[in-house]
PDB file of all heavy atoms in Angstrom:
ATOM      1  N   VAL A   1      77.658 184.112  57.532  1.00  0.00           N
ATOM      2  CA  VAL A   1      77.003 183.011  56.830  1.00  0.00           C
ATOM      3  C   VAL A   1      75.898 182.440  57.692  1.00  0.00           C
ATOM      4  O   VAL A   1      75.881 182.592  58.908  1.00  0.00           O
ATOM      5  CB  VAL A   1      78.012 181.893  56.476  1.00  0.00           C
ATOM      6  CG1 VAL A   1      79.029 182.386  55.499  1.00  0.00           C
ATOM      7  CG2 VAL A   1      78.651 181.343  57.713  1.00  0.00           C
ATOM      8  N   THR A   2      74.960 181.781  57.050  1.00  0.00           N
ATOM      9  CA  THR A   2      73.840 181.189  57.768  1.00  0.00           C
ATOM     10  C   THR A   2      74.334 180.085  58.695  1.00  0.00           C
ATOM     11  O   THR A   2      75.138 179.252  58.307  1.00  0.00           O
ATOM     12  CB  THR A   2      72.836 180.605  56.757  1.00  0.00           C
ATOM     13  OG1 THR A   2      72.472 181.618  55.830  1.00  0.00           O
ATOM     14  CG2 THR A   2      71.606 180.081  57.478  1.00  0.00           C
ATOM     15  N   GLU A   3      73.842 180.118  59.926  1.00  0.00           N
ATOM     16  CA  GLU A   3      74.251 179.109  60.883  1.00  0.00           C
ATOM     17  C   GLU A   3      73.705 177.751  60.474  1.00  0.00           C
ATOM     18  O   GLU A   3      72.503 177.601  60.237  1.00  0.00           O
ATOM     19  CB  GLU A   3      73.749 179.476  62.289  1.00  0.00           C
ATOM     20  CG  GLU A   3      74.488 180.630  62.918  1.00  0.00           C
ATOM     21  CD  GLU A   3      75.934 180.281  63.179  1.00  0.00           C
ATOM     22  OE1 GLU A   3      76.220 179.102  63.432  1.00  0.00           O
ATOM     23  OE2 GLU A   3      76.787 181.182  63.099  1.00  0.00           O
ATOM     24  N   VAL A   4      74.562 176.770  60.402  1.00  0.00           N
ATOM     25  CA  VAL A   4      74.169 175.414  60.047  1.00  0.00           C
ATOM     26  C   VAL A   4      74.693 174.474  61.118  1.00  0.00           C
ATOM     27  O   VAL A   4      75.835 174.593  61.559  1.00  0.00           O
ATOM     28  CB  VAL A   4      74.753 175.004  58.668  1.00  0.00           C
ATOM     29  CG1 VAL A   4      74.367 173.569  58.332  1.00  0.00           C
ATOM     30  CG2 VAL A   4      74.277 175.959  57.587  1.00  0.00           C
ATOM     31  N   SER A   5      73.854 173.537  61.573  1.00  0.00           N
ATOM     32  CA  SER A   5      74.284 172.577  62.579  1.00  0.00           C
ATOM     33  C   SER A   5      75.482 171.792  62.064  1.00  0.00           C
ATOM     34  O   SER A   5      75.552 171.435  60.877  1.00  0.00           O
ATOM     35  CB  SER A   5      73.137 171.607  62.896  1.00  0.00           C
ATOM     36  OG  SER A   5      73.599 170.528  63.680  1.00  0.00           O
ATOM     37  N   LYS A   6      76.415 171.534  62.958  1.00  0.00           N
ATOM     38  CA  LYS A   6      77.616 170.806  62.546  1.00  0.00           C
ATOM     39  C   LYS A   6      77.299 169.391  62.072  1.00  0.00           C
ATOM     40  O   LYS A   6      78.098 168.770  61.377  1.00  0.00           O
ATOM     41  CB  LYS A   6      78.634 170.769  63.686  1.00  0.00           C
ATOM     42  CG  LYS A   6      79.350 172.102  63.888  1.00  0.00           C
ATOM     43  CD  LYS A   6      80.510 171.980  64.845  1.00  0.00           C
ATOM     44  CE  LYS A   6      81.265 173.302  64.965  1.00  0.00           C
ATOM     45  NZ  LYS A   6      82.426 173.209  65.865  1.00  0.00           N
ATOM     46  N   ASP A   7      76.140 168.880  62.454  1.00  0.00           N
ATOM     47  CA  ASP A   7      75.730 167.564  61.961  1.00  0.00           C
ATOM     48  C   ASP A   7      75.482 167.587  60.459  1.00  0.00           C
ATOM     49  O   ASP A   7      75.474 166.541  59.811  1.00  0.00           O
ATOM     50  CB  ASP A   7      74.462 167.102  62.691  1.00  0.00           C
ATOM     51  CG  ASP A   7      74.720 166.783  64.157  1.00  0.00           C
ATOM     52  OD1 ASP A   7      75.887 166.523  64.501  1.00  0.00           O
ATOM     53  OD2 ASP A   7      73.762 166.803  64.955  1.00  0.00           O
ATOM     54  N   GLU A   8      75.250 168.787  59.915  1.00  0.00           N
ATOM     55  CA  GLU A   8      74.979 168.929  58.489  1.00  0.00           C
ATOM     56  C   GLU A   8      76.205 169.372  57.697  1.00  0.00           C
ATOM     57  O   GLU A   8      76.137 169.569  56.494  1.00  0.00           O
ATOM     58  CB  GLU A   8      73.840 169.947  58.277  1.00  0.00           C
ATOM     59  CG  GLU A   8      72.525 169.551  58.925  1.00  0.00           C
ATOM     60  CD  GLU A   8      71.978 168.254  58.360  1.00  0.00           C
ATOM     61  OE1 GLU A   8      72.201 167.992  57.160  1.00  0.00           O
ATOM     62  OE2 GLU A   8      71.342 167.494  59.111  1.00  0.00           O
ATOM     63  N   TRP A   9      77.331 169.586  58.379  1.00  0.00           N
ATOM     64  CA  TRP A   9      78.549 169.995  57.672  1.00  0.00           C
ATOM     65  C   TRP A   9      79.073 168.837  56.827  1.00  0.00           C
ATOM     66  O   TRP A   9      78.846 167.660  57.135  1.00  0.00           O
ATOM     67  CB  TRP A   9      79.622 170.437  58.668  1.00  0.00           C
ATOM     68  CG  TRP A   9      79.384 171.803  59.268  1.00  0.00           C
ATOM     69  CD1 TRP A   9      78.178 172.389  59.506  1.00  0.00           C
ATOM     70  CD2 TRP A   9      80.383 172.720  59.703  1.00  0.00           C
ATOM     71  NE1 TRP A   9      78.349 173.618  60.074  1.00  0.00           N
ATOM     72  CE2 TRP A   9      79.699 173.859  60.209  1.00  0.00           C
ATOM     73  CE3 TRP A   9      81.760 172.703  59.729  1.00  0.00           C
ATOM     74  CZ2 TRP A   9      80.367 174.957  60.724  1.00  0.00           C
ATOM     75  CZ3 TRP A   9      82.442 173.801  60.241  1.00  0.00           C
ATOM     76  CH2 TRP A   9      81.749 174.916  60.714  1.00  0.00           C
ATOM     77  N   ASP A  10      79.785 169.162  55.762  1.00  0.00           N
ATOM     78  CA  ASP A  10      80.377 168.143  54.893  1.00  0.00           C
ATOM     79  C   ASP A  10      81.506 167.424  55.630  1.00  0.00           C
ATOM     80  O   ASP A  10      82.349 168.062  56.265  1.00  0.00           O
ATOM     81  CB  ASP A  10      80.925 168.780  53.611  1.00  0.00           C
ATOM     82  CG  ASP A  10      79.829 169.425  52.779  1.00  0.00           C
ATOM     83  OD1 ASP A  10      78.682 168.932  52.849  1.00  0.00           O
ATOM     84  OD2 ASP A  10      80.116 170.420  52.076  1.00  0.00           O
ATOM     85  N   ILE A  11      81.519 166.091  55.518  1.00  0.00           N
ATOM     86  CA  ILE A  11      82.524 165.277  56.211  1.00  0.00           C
ATOM     87  C   ILE A  11      83.516 164.726  55.194  1.00  0.00           C
ATOM     88  O   ILE A  11      83.128 164.156  54.178  1.00  0.00           O
ATOM     89  CB  ILE A  11      81.864 164.112  56.972  1.00  0.00           C
ATOM     90  CG1 ILE A  11      80.821 164.636  57.963  1.00  0.00           C
ATOM     91  CG2 ILE A  11      82.916 163.281  57.701  1.00  0.00           C
ATOM     92  CD1 ILE A  11      79.997 163.541  58.624  1.00  0.00           C
ATOM     93  N   SER A  12      84.782 164.908  55.483  1.00  0.00           N
ATOM     94  CA  SER A  12      85.830 164.361  54.621  1.00  0.00           C
ATOM     95  C   SER A  12      87.014 163.960  55.493  1.00  0.00           C
ATOM     96  O   SER A  12      87.034 164.222  56.689  1.00  0.00           O
ATOM     97  CB  SER A  12      86.271 165.395  53.572  1.00  0.00           C
ATOM     98  OG  SER A  12      86.796 166.546  54.206  1.00  0.00           O
ATOM     99  N   GLY A  13      87.968 163.323  54.872  1.00  0.00           N
ATOM    100  CA  GLY A  13      89.157 162.899  55.603  1.00  0.00           C
ATOM    101  C   GLY A  13      90.414 163.257  54.839  1.00  0.00           C
ATOM    102  O   GLY A  13      90.382 163.412  53.619  1.00  0.00           O
ATOM    103  N   GLU A  14      91.493 163.408  55.581  1.00  0.00           N
ATOM    104  CA  GLU A  14      92.763 163.711  54.945  1.00  0.00           C
ATOM    105  C   GLU A  14      93.895 163.110  55.765  1.00  0.00           C
ATOM    106  O   GLU A  14      93.723 162.832  56.957  1.00  0.00           O
ATOM    107  CB  GLU A  14      92.960 165.220  54.810  1.00  0.00           C
ATOM    108  CG  GLU A  14      93.022 165.947  56.149  1.00  0.00           C
ATOM    109  CD  GLU A  14      93.168 167.447  55.984  1.00  0.00           C
ATOM    110  OE1 GLU A  14      92.998 167.939  54.848  1.00  0.00           O
ATOM    111  OE2 GLU A  14      93.443 168.127  56.993  1.00  0.00           O
ATOM    112  N   PHE A  15      95.015 162.895  55.125  1.00  0.00           N
ATOM    113  CA  PHE A  15      96.199 162.408  55.827  1.00  0.00           C
ATOM    114  C   PHE A  15      97.116 163.599  56.082  1.00  0.00           C
ATOM    115  O   PHE A  15      97.494 164.314  55.159  1.00  0.00           O
ATOM    116  CB  PHE A  15      96.916 161.334  55.011  1.00  0.00           C
ATOM    117  CG  PHE A  15      96.228 160.003  55.047  1.00  0.00           C
ATOM    118  CD1 PHE A  15      95.300 159.664  54.080  1.00  0.00           C
ATOM    119  CD2 PHE A  15      96.499 159.101  56.066  1.00  0.00           C
ATOM    120  CE1 PHE A  15      94.647 158.440  54.121  1.00  0.00           C
ATOM    121  CE2 PHE A  15      95.858 157.874  56.119  1.00  0.00           C
ATOM    122  CZ  PHE A  15      94.925 157.540  55.151  1.00  0.00           C
ATOM    123  N   ILE A  16      97.422 163.812  57.363  1.00  0.00           N
ATOM    124  CA  ILE A  16      98.267 164.941  57.741  1.00  0.00           C
ATOM    125  C   ILE A  16      99.684 164.451  58.010  1.00  0.00           C
ATOM    126  O   ILE A  16      99.911 163.279  58.332  1.00  0.00           O
ATOM    127  CB  ILE A  16      97.704 165.664  58.982  1.00  0.00           C
ATOM    128  CG1 ILE A  16      97.608 164.702  60.175  1.00  0.00           C
ATOM    129  CG2 ILE A  16      96.351 166.272  58.684  1.00  0.00           C
ATOM    130  CD1 ILE A  16      97.197 165.360  61.470  1.00  0.00           C
ATOM    131  N   SER A  17     100.629 165.340  57.890  1.00  0.00           N
ATOM    132  CA  SER A  17     102.042 164.985  58.056  1.00  0.00           C
ATOM    133  C   SER A  17     102.376 164.790  59.536  1.00  0.00           C
ATOM    134  O   SER A  17     102.642 165.739  60.255  1.00  0.00           O
ATOM    135  CB  SER A  17     102.924 166.079  57.452  1.00  0.00           C
ATOM    136  OG  SER A  17     104.291 165.772  57.628  1.00  0.00           O
ATOM    137  N   SER A  18     102.316 163.559  59.975  1.00  0.00           N
ATOM    138  CA  SER A  18     102.626 163.205  61.370  1.00  0.00           C
ATOM    139  C   SER A  18     102.690 161.691  61.472  1.00  0.00           C
ATOM    140  O   SER A  18     101.762 161.002  61.043  1.00  0.00           O
ATOM    141  CB  SER A  18     101.569 163.760  62.325  1.00  0.00           C
ATOM    142  OG  SER A  18     101.846 163.380  63.654  1.00  0.00           O
ATOM    143  N   THR A  19     103.748 161.158  62.008  1.00  0.00           N
ATOM    144  CA  THR A  19     103.907 159.703  62.100  1.00  0.00           C
ATOM    145  C   THR A  19     102.774 159.078  62.905  1.00  0.00           C
ATOM    146  O   THR A  19     102.454 159.534  64.006  1.00  0.00           O
ATOM    147  CB  THR A  19     105.243 159.345  62.761  1.00  0.00           C
ATOM    148  OG1 THR A  19     106.304 159.935  62.024  1.00  0.00           O
ATOM    149  CG2 THR A  19     105.446 157.837  62.806  1.00  0.00           C
ATOM    150  N   ASN A  20     102.171 158.048  62.360  1.00  0.00           N
ATOM    151  CA  ASN A  20     101.079 157.344  63.042  1.00  0.00           C
ATOM    152  C   ASN A  20     101.684 156.292  63.983  1.00  0.00           C
ATOM    153  O   ASN A  20     101.718 155.096  63.674  1.00  0.00           O
ATOM    154  CB  ASN A  20     100.162 156.689  62.006  1.00  0.00           C
ATOM    155  CG  ASN A  20      98.995 155.965  62.650  1.00  0.00           C
ATOM    156  OD1 ASN A  20      98.784 156.044  63.864  1.00  0.00           O
ATOM    157  ND2 ASN A  20      98.247 155.242  61.842  1.00  0.00           N
ATOM    158  N   ILE A  21     102.159 156.766  65.121  1.00  0.00           N
ATOM    159  CA  ILE A  21     102.822 155.879  66.076  1.00  0.00           C
ATOM    160  C   ILE A  21     101.860 154.816  66.597  1.00  0.00           C
ATOM    161  O   ILE A  21     102.234 153.643  66.780  1.00  0.00           O
ATOM    162  CB  ILE A  21     103.395 156.688  67.258  1.00  0.00           C
ATOM    163  CG1 ILE A  21     104.532 157.595  66.768  1.00  0.00           C
ATOM    164  CG2 ILE A  21     103.919 155.761  68.343  1.00  0.00           C
ATOM    165  CD1 ILE A  21     105.768 156.855  66.320  1.00  0.00           C
ATOM    166  N   LEU A  22     100.605 155.187  66.851  1.00  0.00           N
ATOM    167  CA  LEU A  22      99.635 154.222  67.380  1.00  0.00           C
ATOM    168  C   LEU A  22      99.493 153.021  66.452  1.00  0.00           C
ATOM    169  O   LEU A  22      99.518 151.867  66.899  1.00  0.00           O
ATOM    170  CB  LEU A  22      98.274 154.899  67.565  1.00  0.00           C
ATOM    171  CG  LEU A  22      98.086 155.783  68.801  1.00  0.00           C
ATOM    172  CD1 LEU A  22      96.727 156.468  68.750  1.00  0.00           C
ATOM    173  CD2 LEU A  22      98.222 154.976  70.077  1.00  0.00           C
ATOM    174  N   GLY A  23      99.348 153.279  65.158  1.00  0.00           N
ATOM    175  CA  GLY A  23      99.194 152.185  64.206  1.00  0.00           C
ATOM    176  C   GLY A  23     100.430 151.315  64.115  1.00  0.00           C
ATOM    177  O   GLY A  23     100.333 150.078  64.044  1.00  0.00           O
ATOM    178  N   LEU A  24     101.602 151.925  64.146  1.00  0.00           N
ATOM    179  CA  LEU A  24     102.848 151.163  64.077  1.00  0.00           C
ATOM    180  C   LEU A  24     103.066 150.335  65.337  1.00  0.00           C
ATOM    181  O   LEU A  24     103.615 149.231  65.275  1.00  0.00           O
ATOM    182  CB  LEU A  24     104.025 152.115  63.848  1.00  0.00           C
ATOM    183  CG  LEU A  24     104.000 152.872  62.511  1.00  0.00           C
ATOM    184  CD1 LEU A  24     105.136 153.886  62.452  1.00  0.00           C
ATOM    185  CD2 LEU A  24     104.104 151.900  61.337  1.00  0.00           C
ATOM    186  N   VAL A  25     102.652 150.873  66.481  1.00  0.00           N
ATOM    187  CA  VAL A  25     102.760 150.116  67.729  1.00  0.00           C
ATOM    188  C   VAL A  25     101.873 148.881  67.684  1.00  0.00           C
ATOM    189  O   VAL A  25     102.290 147.773  68.068  1.00  0.00           O
ATOM    190  CB  VAL A  25     102.392 151.008  68.935  1.00  0.00           C
ATOM    191  CG1 VAL A  25     102.101 150.162  70.176  1.00  0.00           C
ATOM    192  CG2 VAL A  25     103.520 151.990  69.240  1.00  0.00           C
ATOM    193  N   VAL A  26     100.634 149.042  67.210  1.00  0.00           N
ATOM    194  CA  VAL A  26      99.712 147.900  67.117  1.00  0.00           C
ATOM    195  C   VAL A  26     100.278 146.844  66.177  1.00  0.00           C
ATOM    196  O   VAL A  26     100.273 145.642  66.492  1.00  0.00           O
ATOM    197  CB  VAL A  26      98.319 148.366  66.634  1.00  0.00           C
ATOM    198  CG1 VAL A  26      97.437 147.161  66.281  1.00  0.00           C
ATOM    199  CG2 VAL A  26      97.642 149.206  67.706  1.00  0.00           C
ATOM    200  N   PHE A  27     100.783 147.256  65.016  1.00  0.00           N
ATOM    201  CA  PHE A  27     101.362 146.293  64.069  1.00  0.00           C
ATOM    202  C   PHE A  27     102.553 145.569  64.689  1.00  0.00           C
ATOM    203  O   PHE A  27     102.697 144.344  64.541  1.00  0.00           O
ATOM    204  CB  PHE A  27     101.798 147.021  62.790  1.00  0.00           C
ATOM    205  CG  PHE A  27     102.563 146.139  61.845  1.00  0.00           C
ATOM    206  CD1 PHE A  27     101.909 145.242  61.020  1.00  0.00           C
ATOM    207  CD2 PHE A  27     103.954 146.191  61.802  1.00  0.00           C
ATOM    208  CE1 PHE A  27     102.623 144.417  60.159  1.00  0.00           C
ATOM    209  CE2 PHE A  27     104.673 145.374  60.939  1.00  0.00           C
ATOM    210  CZ  PHE A  27     104.002 144.488  60.116  1.00  0.00           C
ATOM    211  N   SER A  28     103.406 146.307  65.398  1.00  0.00           N
ATOM    212  CA  SER A  28     104.596 145.704  66.017  1.00  0.00           C
ATOM    213  C   SER A  28     104.202 144.680  67.064  1.00  0.00           C
ATOM    214  O   SER A  28     104.808 143.604  67.171  1.00  0.00           O
ATOM    215  CB  SER A  28     105.477 146.792  66.636  1.00  0.00           C
ATOM    216  OG  SER A  28     105.913 147.710  65.664  1.00  0.00           O
ATOM    217  N   LEU A  29     103.183 144.999  67.865  1.00  0.00           N
ATOM    218  CA  LEU A  29     102.721 144.062  68.894  1.00  0.00           C
ATOM    219  C   LEU A  29     102.161 142.791  68.253  1.00  0.00           C
ATOM    220  O   LEU A  29     102.460 141.675  68.704  1.00  0.00           O
ATOM    221  CB  LEU A  29     101.653 144.727  69.770  1.00  0.00           C
ATOM    222  CG  LEU A  29     102.128 145.838  70.707  1.00  0.00           C
ATOM    223  CD1 LEU A  29     100.936 146.513  71.383  1.00  0.00           C
ATOM    224  CD2 LEU A  29     103.082 145.289  71.752  1.00  0.00           C
ATOM    225  N   VAL A  30     101.358 142.959  67.216  1.00  0.00           N
ATOM    226  CA  VAL A  30     100.767 141.796  66.535  1.00  0.00           C
ATOM    227  C   VAL A  30     101.857 140.930  65.912  1.00  0.00           C
ATOM    228  O   VAL A  30     101.839 139.694  66.023  1.00  0.00           O
ATOM    229  CB  VAL A  30      99.755 142.247  65.464  1.00  0.00           C
ATOM    230  CG1 VAL A  30      99.295 141.053  64.621  1.00  0.00           C
ATOM    231  CG2 VAL A  30      98.553 142.916  66.120  1.00  0.00           C
ATOM    232  N   LEU A  31     102.828 141.558  65.250  1.00  0.00           N
ATOM    233  CA  LEU A  31     103.916 140.802  64.632  1.00  0.00           C
ATOM    234  C   LEU A  31     104.759 140.098  65.693  1.00  0.00           C
ATOM    235  O   LEU A  31     105.162 138.934  65.509  1.00  0.00           O
ATOM    236  CB  LEU A  31     104.798 141.747  63.807  1.00  0.00           C
ATOM    237  CG  LEU A  31     105.982 141.094  63.087  1.00  0.00           C
ATOM    238  CD1 LEU A  31     105.517 139.967  62.167  1.00  0.00           C
ATOM    239  CD2 LEU A  31     106.779 142.133  62.295  1.00  0.00           C
ATOM    240  N   GLY A  32     105.023 140.769  66.811  1.00  0.00           N
ATOM    241  CA  GLY A  32     105.792 140.144  67.886  1.00  0.00           C
ATOM    242  C   GLY A  32     105.098 138.923  68.452  1.00  0.00           C
ATOM    243  O   GLY A  32     105.725 137.871  68.662  1.00  0.00           O
ATOM    244  N   VAL A  33     103.793 139.037  68.706  1.00  0.00           N
ATOM    245  CA  VAL A  33     103.016 137.895  69.220  1.00  0.00           C
ATOM    246  C   VAL A  33     103.007 136.762  68.204  1.00  0.00           C
ATOM    247  O   VAL A  33     103.146 135.574  68.558  1.00  0.00           O
ATOM    248  CB  VAL A  33     101.569 138.338  69.552  1.00  0.00           C
ATOM    249  CG1 VAL A  33     100.691 137.125  69.859  1.00  0.00           C
ATOM    250  CG2 VAL A  33     101.561 139.298  70.728  1.00  0.00           C
ATOM    251  N   THR A  34     102.858 137.104  66.922  1.00  0.00           N
ATOM    252  CA  THR A  34     102.838 136.080  65.866  1.00  0.00           C
ATOM    253  C   THR A  34     104.165 135.329  65.796  1.00  0.00           C
ATOM    254  O   THR A  34     104.187 134.089  65.705  1.00  0.00           O
ATOM    255  CB  THR A  34     102.544 136.735  64.506  1.00  0.00           C
ATOM    256  OG1 THR A  34     101.304 137.433  64.568  1.00  0.00           O
ATOM    257  CG2 THR A  34     102.473 135.680  63.409  1.00  0.00           C
ATOM    258  N   LEU A  35     105.276 136.058  65.861  1.00  0.00           N
ATOM    259  CA  LEU A  35     106.595 135.406  65.821  1.00  0.00           C
ATOM    260  C   LEU A  35     106.805 134.510  67.043  1.00  0.00           C
ATOM    261  O   LEU A  35     107.424 133.443  66.935  1.00  0.00           O
ATOM    262  CB  LEU A  35     107.696 136.464  65.748  1.00  0.00           C
ATOM    263  CG  LEU A  35     107.776 137.275  64.446  1.00  0.00           C
ATOM    264  CD1 LEU A  35     108.857 138.345  64.537  1.00  0.00           C
ATOM    265  CD2 LEU A  35     108.053 136.349  63.263  1.00  0.00           C
ATOM    266  N   ALA A  36     106.290 134.940  68.200  1.00  0.00           N
ATOM    267  CA  ALA A  36     106.409 134.108  69.403  1.00  0.00           C
ATOM    268  C   ALA A  36     105.633 132.812  69.244  1.00  0.00           C
ATOM    269  O   ALA A  36     106.098 131.739  69.663  1.00  0.00           O
ATOM    270  CB  ALA A  36     105.911 134.889  70.623  1.00  0.00           C
ATOM    271  N   ASN A  37     104.460 132.893  68.624  1.00  0.00           N
ATOM    272  CA  ASN A  37     103.629 131.697  68.437  1.00  0.00           C
ATOM    273  C   ASN A  37     104.193 130.771  67.360  1.00  0.00           C
ATOM    274  O   ASN A  37     103.925 129.569  67.352  1.00  0.00           O
ATOM    275  CB  ASN A  37     102.199 132.104  68.056  1.00  0.00           C
ATOM    276  CG  ASN A  37     101.440 132.705  69.222  1.00  0.00           C
ATOM    277  OD1 ASN A  37     101.699 132.373  70.377  1.00  0.00           O
ATOM    278  ND2 ASN A  37     100.500 133.597  68.936  1.00  0.00           N
ATOM    279  N   MET A  38     104.987 131.319  66.445  1.00  0.00           N
ATOM    280  CA  MET A  38     105.555 130.499  65.368  1.00  0.00           C
ATOM    281  C   MET A  38     106.742 129.653  65.840  1.00  0.00           C
ATOM    282  O   MET A  38     107.210 128.771  65.099  1.00  0.00           O
ATOM    283  CB  MET A  38     106.008 131.402  64.211  1.00  0.00           C
ATOM    284  CG  MET A  38     104.852 132.029  63.439  1.00  0.00           C
ATOM    285  SD  MET A  38     105.429 133.195  62.167  1.00  0.00           S
ATOM    286  CE  MET A  38     106.247 132.068  61.028  1.00  0.00           C
ATOM    287  N   LYS A  39     107.234 129.930  67.046  1.00  0.00           N
ATOM    288  CA  LYS A  39     108.350 129.159  67.617  1.00  0.00           C
ATOM    289  C   LYS A  39     109.569 129.167  66.682  1.00  0.00           C
ATOM    290  O   LYS A  39     110.057 130.216  66.307  1.00  0.00           O
ATOM    291  CB  LYS A  39     107.906 127.716  67.912  1.00  0.00           C
ATOM    292  CG  LYS A  39     106.679 127.612  68.805  1.00  0.00           C
ATOM    293  CD  LYS A  39     106.925 128.159  70.200  1.00  0.00           C
ATOM    294  CE  LYS A  39     105.694 127.972  71.088  1.00  0.00           C
ATOM    295  NZ  LYS A  39     105.896 128.566  72.418  1.00  0.00           N
ATOM    296  N   ASP A  40     110.046 127.979  66.266  1.00  0.00           N
ATOM    297  CA  ASP A  40     111.270 127.875  65.476  1.00  0.00           C
ATOM    298  C   ASP A  40     111.137 128.508  64.090  1.00  0.00           C
ATOM    299  O   ASP A  40     112.105 129.046  63.550  1.00  0.00           O
ATOM    300  CB  ASP A  40     111.672 126.398  65.323  1.00  0.00           C
ATOM    301  CG  ASP A  40     112.131 125.808  66.649  1.00  0.00           C
ATOM    302  OD1 ASP A  40     112.502 126.606  67.535  1.00  0.00           O
ATOM    303  OD2 ASP A  40     112.108 124.579  66.787  1.00  0.00           O
ATOM    304  N   LYS A  41     109.933 128.434  63.507  1.00  0.00           N
ATOM    305  CA  LYS A  41     109.741 129.021  62.178  1.00  0.00           C
ATOM    306  C   LYS A  41     109.901 130.539  62.201  1.00  0.00           C
ATOM    307  O   LYS A  41     110.347 131.136  61.223  1.00  0.00           O
ATOM    308  CB  LYS A  41     108.349 128.648  61.641  1.00  0.00           C
ATOM    309  CG  LYS A  41     108.207 127.182  61.251  1.00  0.00           C
ATOM    310  CD  LYS A  41     106.838 126.922  60.639  1.00  0.00           C
ATOM    311  CE  LYS A  41     106.710 125.464  60.213  1.00  0.00           C
ATOM    312  NZ  LYS A  41     105.362 125.201  59.622  1.00  0.00           N
ATOM    313  N   GLY A  42     109.539 131.158  63.291  1.00  0.00           N
ATOM    314  CA  GLY A  42     109.632 132.610  63.382  1.00  0.00           C
ATOM    315  C   GLY A  42     110.958 133.108  63.913  1.00  0.00           C
ATOM    316  O   GLY A  42     111.215 134.321  63.915  1.00  0.00           O
TER     317      GLY A  42
END
């Protein structure tokens, strides 16, 4: 096939089967800090 620069390739996204640990860690940290700041309510 004709060589095409990768800058011109079609860009898309997909969700692959793998736990997103990074995102869950960030959410857990934010929720933990929020509960600490809420004192008795949290």
Side-chain angles (χ1 to χ4, degrees):
V1 295
T2 306
E3 288 295 329
V4 178
S5 169
K6 285 190 176 181
D7 291 338
E8 299 298 327
W9 284 31
D10 297 330
I11 303 173
S12 61
E14 63 182 12
F15 284 92
I16 59 174
S17 179
S18 178
T19 303
N20 181 7
I21 293 292
L22 281 175
L24 296 174
V25 163
V26 169
F27 172 79
S28 300
L29 290 173
V30 172
L31 180 56
V33 170
T34 302
L35 292 177
N37 288 331
M38 289 175 67
K39 305 296 183 183
D40 291 339
K41 289 184 178 180

